[in-house]
Amino acid sequence: MPTLTLFLMISAALFSIGLLAALSRRHAIFILIGIEMMLAAANLNFIAFWRFDPQPQSPTGVMVAIFSIAIAAAEAAVGLALVIAVYRHYRTTSVDKLDQLKG
Amino acid sequence: MSTAAFIVIATLTLAGALAAASLSKLIHAALCLVVAFVGIAAFFFLLGAEFVGLVQVFVYVGAVAVLIVFTILLTRRADENTGGFNWGGVVLAIAVFSALMWAILGTPTLSIAAPQIEALTVKRIGEVLMTDYVWPLQCVGLLLTAALIGGLILVMEDKR
């Protein structure tokens, strides 16, 4: 079994890739993909810390991961609905063109 | 055995995630995201959290990925440019990654082997969910209902 450090490194790499997708892409769906990836990386951390706990009493890490997956599903549903609503209004999904609030 | 599985899963997950973040075709990126999510579910199986792995496959691969693909198909235009790239984000992501690695590698207490634990059964998860976590469970149910109704209202056609 690999050590906890390896799992945390994989999780950090996944989080950074998600951050890269969320910050550097100009398409709204890519930003949502990045956010989903960051949430999944956080779940991996919760499960890894639960598994490597020297005295595991209650499955707290597993519970938090389950709730986090449910909240991620809600976030994806609302986010994609927003993308469709924006597309109907502006006929584009590029976040650079949504600049009506710009001073 | 376990180490070989870890290397294979890690390579697959990171390759899928990198492809999802960098491919210029949206539909290809969504399919690579599915690969990354399956890899994360495999990590959950490796760590002994089989139930969470199954939930991950059901929710992410079964629901979220299909939702993303449908949204891509509904908002697709032939002349749209999806390749835009902002290099400031790359710099910031590399900086965050370096900071996280510095913190992880600088903490020697993290390099521990996994202790022997008794398997976490679905029965135990159900018991804990219905006793200690019953209020969070109700709140998540309310949140999901509100989010799905909100999503429906957002995409509803205005008939007036």
Side-chain angles (χ1 to χ4, degrees):
Chain A
M1 193 77 176
T3 57
L4 178 57
T5 315
L6 279 171
F7 282 101
L8 295 187
M9 280 158 73
I10 296 290
S11 170
L14 265 177
F15 182 87
S16 308
I17 294 170
L19 191 70
L20 187 145
L23 288 181
S24 64
R25 303 305 297 252
R26 303 228 165 89
H27 197 283
I29 293 174
F30 273 117
I31 294 174
L32 275 171
I33 285 177
I35 291 170
E36 292 293 328
M37 230 185 280
M38 286 193 274
L39 277 166
N43 282 344
L44 185 56
N45 255 12
F46 275 121
I47 298 287
F49 274 114
W50 163 76
R51 180 67 183 82
F52 286 86
D53 184 1
Q55 291 106 24
Q57 292 122 5
S58 61
T60 312
V62 171
M63 289 301 145
V64 175
I66 291 172
F67 286 127
S68 161
I69 288 175
I71 291 167
E75 173 259 325
V78 175
L80 291 169
L82 272 174
V83 171
I84 292 179
V86 164
Y87 179 75
R88 281 216 188 115
H89 199 80
Y90 294 100
R91 308 312 290 174
T92 181
T93 43
S94 171
V95 288
D96 276 0
K97 291 184 185 131
L98 309 177
D99 52 2
Q100 282 209 328
L101 285 179
K102 217 171 179 177
Chain B
M1 175 55 207
S2 191
T3 314
F6 179 86
I7 293 169
V8 171
I9 298 169
T11 315
L12 205 71
T13 309
L14 290 184
L18 261 182
S22 59
L23 285 180
S24 64
K25 269 226 166 84
L26 259 174
I27 206 96
H28 295 175
L31 295 178
C32 290
L33 185 73
V34 170
V35 174
F37 281 156
V38 170
I40 291 172
F43 272 130
F44 291 165
F45 280 108
L46 196 67
L47 284 165
E50 287 89 0
F51 183 72
V52 187
L54 272 179
V55 170
Q56 167 93 7
V57 171
F58 287 156
V59 173
Y60 275 104
V61 180
V64 172
V66 172
L67 213 58
I68 289 177
V69 170
F70 265 99
T71 311
I72 291 168
L73 295 180
L74 280 174
T75 61
R76 193 162 57 168
R77 279 172 63 192
D79 56 334
E80 185 137 55
N81 176 25
T82 58
F85 213 80
N86 183 2
W87 288 99
V90 181
V91 174
L92 198 61
I94 290 173
V96 168
F97 181 65
S98 322
L100 284 173
M101 288 308 253
W102 173 76
I104 291 168
L105 295 176
T107 313
T109 47
L110 286 180
S111 55
I112 49 171
Q116 281 294 329
I117 58 167
E118 51 182 307
L120 183 65
T121 57
V122 179
K123 184 166 179 274
R124 173 106 178 83
I125 292 178
E127 275 170 10
V128 174
L129 211 54
M130 280 296 145
T131 53
D132 297 347
Y133 289 88
V134 67
W135 283 111
L137 186 71
Q138 302 295 324
C139 291
V140 164
L142 194 68
L143 179 90
L144 273 176
T145 315
L148 293 182
I149 293 173
L152 269 180
I153 289 172
L154 273 176
V155 296
M156 215 156 49
E157 296 275 3
D158 209 355
K159 286 284 194 303
R160 270 171 295 163

